[in-house]
Amino acid sequence: MRYFMSIIKEFKEFLEEYKVIGLAVAFIIGAAATALVQSLVNDIIMPLITPFVPGGEWQTATLAIGPFVIKWGSFLSSLINFLILAFVVFLIAKWVLKEEKVTKK
């Protein structure tokens, strides 16, 4: 029993030292933020762009060059998702670090 308690104590110290709980929370919030950004892009931004896409289907918009098919609609969606998510991470870093300018340390 004493050995088991020692292992539990060591495990707790490991979790605290490597901030595993904080990392898990950040991962879960990051996944939720990603879903939110994807919804923003797919349900709000892209419907505004759709009238300007030939055929009106932005997600399946392609460009055929001979035997090659470039899926530019899907890429555009991923690019917008990335840019919004990167900007949100930048804002969070700026807010959490409370710095005038976010710089490399």
Side-chain angles (χ1 to χ4, degrees):
M1 183 67 168
R2 201 170 151 162
Y3 177 74
F4 178 73
M5 295 307 289
S6 170
I7 293 291
I8 295 296
K9 181 181 179 203
E10 189 177 336
F11 181 65
K12 182 181 174 195
E13 289 170 0
F14 165 80
L15 293 177
E16 290 172 356
E17 181 177 344
Y18 292 100
K19 298 176 179 39
V20 175
I21 303 300
L23 180 61
V25 169
F27 181 80
I28 292 168
I29 290 174
T34 299
L36 181 65
V37 169
Q38 284 181 324
S39 178
L40 172 69
V41 171
N42 294 338
D43 301 331
I44 296 174
I45 294 173
M46 293 314 283
L48 298 173
I49 296 173
T50 299
F52 304 105
V53 175
E57 290 293 324
W58 64 270
Q59 287 179 322
T60 58
T62 59
L63 174 64
I65 303 174
F68 304 104
V69 177
I70 299 170
K71 298 179 179 181
W72 67 269
S74 175
F75 176 75
L76 180 62
S77 174
S78 295
L79 179 64
I80 293 171
N81 279 338
F82 171 78
L83 291 174
I84 292 172
L85 199 53
F87 185 67
V88 168
V89 168
F90 165 76
L91 291 177
I92 290 171
K94 188 169 177 66
W95 177 67
V96 169
L97 298 174
K98 294 180 174 63
E99 293 188 14
E100 298 276 328
K101 182 176 180 184
V102 178
T103 57
K104 183 178 175 182
K105 293 187 178 195

